[in-house]
Amino acid sequence: MRSKPPVLSALFLVAGTCIGGGMLALPVSTGLSGFLPSACVMLLCWAAMTLSALLLLEVSLHAPKEAHMLSMSASLLGQFGSSITWALFLFISYASMIAYTAAGGGLAAVFAHAIFGLDWSDEMGCFFFTLLFGGMLTLGNRHIGSLNSWLFLGMLAAYAVLVGIGAKEVQTERLRHADWSHAFPAAPLLLTTFSFQTMLPSLTPYLHRQTQAIRWAIIGGTTLTLVTYLLWQSLVLGIVPVMGVHSLTEALERGQPITQFLKEHVASPWLSWVAEWFGFFALVTSFLGIGMGLKDFLGDGIRYLFGESMTAGSKGKSVLFFFILIPTFLFAAYFERIFLIALESSGGIGDTILNGLFPICMVWVGRYRLGWKGEKQVRGGKGSLIVLFLFFSAILLIQLGMG
């Protein structure tokens, strides 16, 4: 008898992967535009990333059971597509892991001093974060999912306390600030904050390939993320000023998480402490979600290129984790402003192509060249695919123009 798919755990895994370090950068990147402009662009990015995830689900359901992004793109887009997938998947995953480790290492150093009186450097904090939470990736996907659910609940609890305390500190006149010229340049990072597609091929077998269960996890997870972001934006943009000392502008110039500036503008001594714990939970849940997808992707790629024996046993796992954790630690610890740079680059280049344009192209090939049968996960035919393709292309052009 088939066991019931853990839909709620998967939903938390989706939301936990989205709500991570990107959330700590969100007000920094969008704050100059104001609440209303940033909320409108956020709604567009949420819709686009949810639809692209559903398209990738359609591809995954037509692929063999153990297939990941590499083998799916190779079968539908050829050798060129698989080569681009290799490069972009690694770019997105490593950029995200590096960003979360950089911010998580800083928080680890803060906690080490506050709790144990230890004076850790950011490099030491990054090493501890990588060793502890990178080691958890050695657990199976089901154990990672269960652990992630508890961490996500911890994040929600900290978030609820944060909103409850912080609501009293909001100055509504700050929410009326609006500068639409800064809204769309923030779109690349907004894509990153809804990015979880790199672990979706791992989610499909996790939910026993049951279509409705996976759809619930995707739509429920991204919608929970959207609501969380809108409340977070209203809280932070209503407390931290746009200009001046410890402002959104200063946070953007320094490329640091907003929690380090939020505490400078609140009267409650508890708010900054809760904000840092919230940031910690948010970073770890995303780190584990992206790490799980990267682990499975590298395993799929190594099996595809060198055969099953290369990933078997403890030696194969050691090789995988060496390639994941060593580069992550080195970039996170020794490159200035890497937190914001990594997230913006990941969304503007990686997410637009791999998580946006590629699922559209793969579904187009499957539906209109290979004649796929069965339920379409996104309705609207060719028209909806073309509109989505143009949207992601526009975001890519924005990022390239900014670069």
Side-chain angles (χ1 to χ4, degrees), residues 191-249:
L191 287 185
T192 301
T193 60
F194 290 103
S195 176
F196 70 96
Q197 287 86 342
T198 53
M199 49 83 69
L200 196 145
S202 304
L203 202 65
T204 303
Y206 180 67
L207 292 175
H208 313 317
R209 301 178 70 88
Q210 295 188 24
T211 304
Q212 284 304 113
I214 305 170
R215 286 180 64 90
W216 270 107
I218 292 171
I219 297 172
T222 58
T223 303
L224 179 59
T225 300
L226 174 66
V227 173
T228 303
Y229 286 165
L230 290 173
L231 288 173
W232 174 246
Q233 285 284 90
S234 65
L235 178 72
V236 175
L237 300 187
I239 294 176
V240 183
V242 176
M243 305 294 291
V245 180
H246 303 303
S247 64
L248 294 167
T249 302

Side-chain angles (χ1 to χ4, degrees), residues 162 232 236 239-240 258-266 275:
L162 190 61
W232 174 246
V236 175
I239 294 176
V240 183
I258 195 60
T259 49
Q260 298 185 26
F261 294 81
L262 186 63
K263 62 185 179 182
E264 302 294 339
H265 297 281
V266 296

Side-chain angles (χ1 to χ4, degrees), residues 134-360:
M136 291 181 182
L137 295 175
T138 59
L139 304 173
N141 286 358
R142 184 166 294 277
H143 289 98
I144 294 174
S146 299
L147 175 63
N148 201 80
S149 295
W150 285 105
L151 290 167
F152 187 76
L153 290 174
M155 183 180 70
L156 288 182
Y159 179 78
V161 175
L162 190 61
V163 172
I165 298 175
K168 302 173 185 177
E169 306 272 359
V170 171
Q171 300 179 34
T172 54
E173 64 272 13
R174 286 180 173 164
L175 295 176
R176 288 194 284 270
H177 168 77
D179 184 349
W180 288 90
S181 66
H182 288 287
F184 285 96
L189 185 132
L190 282 165
L191 287 185
T192 301
T193 60
F194 290 103
S195 176
F196 70 96
Q197 287 86 342
T198 53
M199 49 83 69
L200 196 145
S202 304
L203 202 65
T204 303
Y206 180 67
L207 292 175
H208 313 317
R209 301 178 70 88
Q210 295 188 24
T211 304
Q212 284 304 113
I214 305 170
R215 286 180 64 90
W216 270 107
I218 292 171
I219 297 172
T222 58
T223 303
L224 179 59
T225 300
L226 174 66
V227 173
T228 303
Y229 286 165
L230 290 173
L231 288 173
W232 174 246
Q233 285 284 90
S234 65
L235 178 72
V236 175
L237 300 187
I239 294 176
V240 183
V242 176
M243 305 294 291
V245 180
H246 303 303
S247 64
L248 294 167
T249 302
E250 184 181 342
L252 181 62
E253 290 173 352
R254 293 170 60 179
Q256 292 182 344
I258 195 60
T259 49
Q260 298 185 26
F261 294 81
L262 186 63
K263 62 185 179 182
E264 302 294 339
H265 297 281
V266 296
S268 172
W270 289 101
L271 188 62
S272 61
W273 185 247
V274 174
E276 286 173 343
W277 275 107
F278 166 73
F280 167 77
F281 284 123
L283 289 163
V284 174
T285 52
S286 276
F287 181 90
L288 292 177
I290 295 294
M292 184 176 81
L294 179 58
K295 172 174 67 74
D296 289 348
F297 176 82
L298 287 175
D300 180 51
I302 292 172
R303 284 191 298 271
Y304 179 78
L305 293 174
F306 302 109
E308 193 75 30
S309 61
M310 286 297 294
T311 58
S314 58
K315 183 179 179 180
K317 290 182 179 180
S318 298
V319 171
L320 278 178
F321 290 108
F322 176 85
F323 280 113
I324 292 173
L325 300 182
I326 298 300
T328 296
F329 166 71
L330 292 176
F331 276 91
Y334 296 107
F335 284 80
E336 293 290 335
R337 209 174 174 270
I338 194 67
F339 173 66
L340 202 56
I341 293 172
L343 289 175
E344 288 176 346
S345 300
S346 172
I349 298 175
D351 283 310
T352 52
I353 299 175
L354 185 62
N355 294 338
L357 299 176
F358 267 32
I360 297 167

Side-chain angles (χ1 to χ4, degrees), residues 20-102:
M23 186 172 178
L24 305 183
L26 189 57
V28 177
S29 184
T30 64
L32 299 187
S33 66
F35 178 73
L36 181 60
S38 65
C40 291
V41 179
M42 185 185 297
L43 283 168
L44 290 174
C45 292
W46 163 74
M49 291 296 273
T50 301
L51 291 174
S52 75
L54 292 173
L55 290 174
L56 191 56
L57 167 62
E58 187 171 329
V59 176
S60 183
L61 291 172
H62 281 89
K65 186 176 179 180
E66 297 297 326
H68 209 280
M69 292 288 290
L70 180 63
S71 50
M72 290 190 298
S73 61
S75 64
L76 292 168
L77 303 178
Q79 186 60 45
F80 175 77
S82 67
S83 299
I84 298 299
T85 298
W86 251 111
L88 288 177
F89 192 102
L90 292 175
F91 175 73
I92 291 174
S93 299
Y94 277 113
S96 299
M97 296 277 283
I98 289 165
Y100 301 149
T101 302

